[in-house]
Structures are given as C-alpha cells and as structure tokens.
Amino acid sequence: MFRQTLIRQLHTSIKLSKEADFTHVVIGAGSVGLAVAHKLTISSTPSNKDNKVLVIERNESFGQEISSRNSEVVHAGLYYPPNSLKTELCISGKEQLYSLSDNFGIKKCGKWIVAQNETQMNYLEKLHEKGKQLQIPTKFVDWGQAKLDEPLIKVGAGVLESSSTGIIDSHGYMEWLVSQIEEGNGELVYDTNVVGLSYDPHNEVYEIETQSGSVNGEEAELEEEKFVISSNNVINAAGLGATDINNLLMPEEKHMKTYYAKGNYFALTGLGNLKIKRLIYPCPDELHVKSLGTHLTIDMGGQVKFGPDLEWIDEIDYHVNDNNLNNALTEIQKYLPIVKRENLVGVYSGIRPKLISEKENKFQDFVIREESESGFKGFVNLLGIESPGLTSSLGIAKYVKEKFY
C-alpha cells in the first residue's frame, strides 16, 4: 500500500511541476545500491543537504538477489590486479565495514589459503608479495603451527594467512543501511520494475517508467499500472539486471549482456562441530581467474558451509544443482579429507553477473562510469558488480559520491 501511495504521489507531481521529483534515483536495493543511497543521504555531509533520494527495487524487499546469496565474506583484496577497481574498492570497503562494526554483525576471523604442491606454493609467494605492496597483512604459517591450529586441515605444501579477512551478517548490514537512508529522509520503494528510461538533455532530467509487480527470480507477475518518476541523476545498481537497465537508455551499439555464473553452496552435516576457527580457501588456479574455488566458510554462528562452485547458466535459476556435489566433494577433500559425500547437502545458490563469457579466460574489473560521453550526464552505470561486491559496497558508494556527485 505504501508503495502504491508513494508512486501515485510521484505521478501526480510530474503532472503539476517540470522540476524533477528526485535529485538521485538508485535502481537496485542490494548492498551496493543501498550503500550508494546511504552516502547520498548522510545529513552531516554538506553536499547532501539538497539531495532527495529514491531507491527502486524490483523485489518485495531489499537484498533478495546477489547480496543475500553469497558467502558473506569480508574479502581482504588480495586476488585482483593492484591497479584495478576491485582491489581499490575492496580495500576501501573492508576498512569502512570494520569501522562500523558496532552497527551490525561482523567478525575479523581470518583466512587460510592452502597450497598442496610446489606450484601452488609459488603462487602463494606471489600473493604474499602483493599483500606487502598493497599493505594487506599476510603471513606464512609453518606446518607445525598449522597442525596445532587446524588439525583437520590437510596442508600439503604451505599456508598463507590473511588476517584482515572476515565474515559479515549481510542482512543485518543491509538493514542498517536502510535505517540510515530513512533517517536521512531517503525513500525506498519495492515491488517496482523499471521498464523504461529516457533523458531530456535540455532540462537535464531523466524519466523513469516503472511498473508495479514482483520478481521472484523465475518469473515476473506484473500489474498493468505504470508510473513515471523523474530525477536529475540515475545510478544503475541493478545487479543481475544492470545490463538490462543500461540497454533501456544507451544506444544499441553500447548495449551489453550479462552472463550468469551460478554458484552452489553445500552445508556440512553429520560430523558435529569441527571447531574450525577461520575460513579455508584452496589455492586458486592461476590460469583460471573467474573463481576462487570451492572454499570453506563459517557464518556468524559458527556453522560451516562450502561454496560456491562455478556453473554457467542461460537463465536465472536458484535451484541447487546436486549434480555438482561430486565435483564439489573432490575439491573439498583436497583440504578437508574427513568430509564424505553423505556429509554434504545443497542449501542455496547464488548468481554472479559476469560481463564476459566462460570462453573468455581473462580478468574483468568492475565497470563504474558516468555515461556523459554518450550524452547522458548524471547516469552512472555499475556493471559486473560481482565478488567482492558486498565487501566493496561502501567503497563503491564513496567512489561514486566523490567522483560523480
């Protein structure tokens, strides 16, 4: 009811005034969209005093897609090229998250990256050197200490510890962001799909055509009623739907496609409390840059889960693919041999929005840009925001606020 009332009010205001309804509209209420809206509504920031911010979300609540279907890991920022946005914004976001630890559940539990052979050990040496370059704390754990600290973990060659890696209650974090947006007089509207987007360069105003209805990840049930909202600026933080939003506005030669990389997660059962105290990551394959491997994570309650694996799909589908369980088990047993097939059960899956297909084996950075060169001043695209998107969310928000607004 609130959503319909708000949209009706906006629709009426457009008829009565040529001024935009909002200074900023953020499309997408995942962790990144909420973080951007938060930065734009902090009342103590002088540049925000005239901001009027709206967040539009197609689902019935915030964080229903990428932000709630991941490992909930606070990444250190080790794996990406030093001069990339992923590195810069992951480190910035990590530091901001830890500084706000009184507001939501977050824990700096640390992570081990485990090498089982000499080739993997050489990779860890490079990672350690990169950590020094980026001032990310890492250290090697000797074999004897490793057996004392985590006796169940198989260490074939060595362990690199990343002490600034952690875990976060992603729902609690997003709840806090929503509360901050509302405290800063920002508005959020759910069950609303963006179906049209146009720009009036003379008045520098965007018109955003919306349609009420919900999206459950498999199909959309849309009502016929449509409304138009106007804004001076638009931030496309639509996650899995970000390229669709891009394609509503940009000329055809600038259209983009999202490739869906699904990750299945498996819970541990039947082994009791293994008393594993930190995250355990296998050493990634240096030749394959799209996945960090099927790793072991613990949640804020100490429960162990494994994932994500990597499965390319053509359409959004959140059903856990149990056909992948044997492959996942093979990867898990390389560092935790106590686990048997009967100890794993599929629990959920997530989807990462990739801008390159499975055939292209290269690094893809975050794409964060204002499309002013295409004639769209104030339209900021956030594309390919996958891992480490949750960790980077406040870093991305700070970057967007300072660079474009």
Side-chain angles (χ1 to χ4, degrees):
M1 181 63 69
F2 169 76
R3 170 181 58 82
Q4 292 179 341
T5 301
L6 173 60
I7 295 296
R8 287 182 191 279
Q9 289 172 347
L10 298 176
H11 186 55
T12 302
S13 72
I14 283 178
K15 292 181 178 178
L16 297 176
S17 173
K18 292 182 180 180
E19 293 183 4
D21 299 298
F22 293 92
T23 59
H24 301 78
V25 166
V26 180
I27 303 173
S31 60
V32 172
L34 293 175
V36 171
H38 165 52
K39 292 292 187 185
L40 291 169
T41 55
I42 297 175
S43 58
S44 60
T45 303
S47 61
N48 287 346
K49 68 182 182 66
D50 295 323
N51 285 358
K52 190 175 181 184
V53 179
L54 173 69
V55 182
I56 300 175
E57 170 55 46
R58 63 181 177 176
N59 290 285
E60 63 184 15
S61 187
F62 59 84
Q64 297 295 296
E65 297 182 7
I66 304 169
S67 298
S68 62
R69 293 175 170 272
N70 57 69
S71 302
E72 296 189 302
V73 170
V74 179
H75 291 280
L78 277 171
Y79 290 108
Y80 321 105
N83 60 347
S84 67
L85 281 176
K86 283 190 173 181
T87 294
E88 175 189 347
L89 302 181
C90 180
I91 294 171
S92 169
K94 172 188 66 176
E95 292 171 350
Q96 291 181 73
L97 285 173
Y98 285 135
S99 73
L100 294 165
S101 59
D102 290 342
N103 299 289
F104 43 80
I106 187 169
K107 180 181 180 182
K108 196 182 292 186
C109 59
K111 173 179 76 176
W112 279 7
I113 309 167
V114 182
Q116 304 297 351
N117 55 50
E118 185 177 346
T119 299
Q120 292 182 354
M121 196 63 191
N122 289 336
Y123 178 82
L124 292 193
E125 292 280 1
K126 295 177 184 177
L127 214 56
H128 182 49
E129 289 304 313
K130 185 193 291 186
K132 291 179 183 178
Q133 177 186 349
L134 296 171
Q135 297 183 316
I136 298 172
T138 62
K139 68 175 184 178
F140 284 102
V141 181
D142 67 57
W143 191 88
Q145 189 63 48
K147 294 306 293 181
L148 285 174
D149 290 346
E150 299 287 358
L152 296 177
I153 301 302
K154 178 184 175 182
V155 178
V159 171
L160 183 67
E161 181 178 68
S162 168
S163 59
S164 65
T165 301
I167 52 177
I168 185 171
D169 172 6
S170 60
H171 184 80
Y173 166 52
M174 288 186 285
E175 275 190 327
W176 178 79
L177 287 173
V178 169
S179 72
Q180 296 303 294
I181 294 166
E182 292 175 339
E183 186 176 306
N185 294 317
E187 299 180 78
L188 299 97
V189 58
Y190 302 113
D191 286 327
T192 301
N193 295 271
V194 174
V195 296
L197 183 58
S198 61
Y199 181 56
D200 175 1
H202 178 72
N203 293 309
E204 296 185 346
V205 170
Y206 290 89
E207 289 198 346
I208 306 155
E209 186 178 6
T210 67
Q211 189 168 14
S212 58
S214 62
V215 174
N216 60 16
E218 298 176 356
E219 61 183 55
E221 297 178 358
L222 298 175
E223 302 170 9
E224 294 299 321
E225 202 165 22
K226 293 183 180 180
F227 301 100
V228 176
I229 302 165
S230 62
S231 179
N232 302 113
N233 303 279
V234 175
I235 299 94
N236 175 16
L240 294 174
T243 56
D244 294 332
I245 299 300
N246 172 83
N247 297 348
L248 288 175
L249 181 67
M250 299 293 287
E252 188 171 354
E253 64 270 18
K254 297 292 182 71
H255 283 193
M256 301 182 73
K257 179 179 179 180
T258 294
Y259 299 89
Y260 299 133
K262 182 178 179 179
N264 298 281
Y265 290 84
F266 304 93
L268 186 67
T269 181
L271 290 177
N273 184 358
L274 299 184
K275 298 183 179 179
I276 292 174
K277 300 180 284 295
R278 52 184 58 80
L279 313 184
I280 308 295
Y281 277 52
C283 186
D285 186 341
E286 195 168 6
L287 299 177
H288 296 87
V289 296
K290 295 194 182 73
S291 173
L292 298 180
T294 302
H295 44 264
L296 179 156
T297 61
I298 51 179
D299 61 23
M300 295 296 293
Q303 297 299 307
V304 170
K305 62 178 180 289
F306 303 94
D309 57 9
L310 178 59
E311 174 188 356
W312 294 90
I313 57 176
D314 295 324
E315 297 179 348
I316 294 176
D317 175 13
Y318 289 118
H319 293 100
V320 177
N321 187 351
D322 287 326
N323 292 329
N324 291 6
L325 197 151
N326 286 335
N327 288 337
L329 177 64
T330 298
E331 296 304 309
I332 294 164
Q333 287 180 331
K334 290 178 181 178
Y335 58 84
L336 191 60
I338 192 175
V339 176
K340 308 301 179 187
R341 194 182 193 285
E342 59 268 23
N343 301 131
L344 297 177
V345 56
V347 284
Y348 68 95
S349 71
I351 298 173
R352 289 156 279 176
K354 302 280 189 179
L355 296 178
I356 54 176
S357 72
E358 61 181 309
K359 298 177 182 178
E360 300 175 81
N361 190 46
K362 61 182 181 181
F363 171 75
Q364 174 60 58
D365 204 356
F366 292 151
V367 174
I368 302 175
R369 62 179 178 232
E370 183 185 23
E371 301 292 358
S372 54
E373 290 187 5
S374 298
F376 301 110
K377 179 184 177 182
F379 178 71
V380 175
N381 256 327
L382 309 181
L383 305 173
I385 309 298
E386 50 153 339
S387 181
L390 176 61
T391 305
S392 304
S393 55
L394 289 170
I396 292 171
K398 185 173 184 286
Y399 181 86
V400 168
K401 174 69 167 61
E402 293 180 352
K403 189 173 180 64
F404 305 117
Y405 301 123

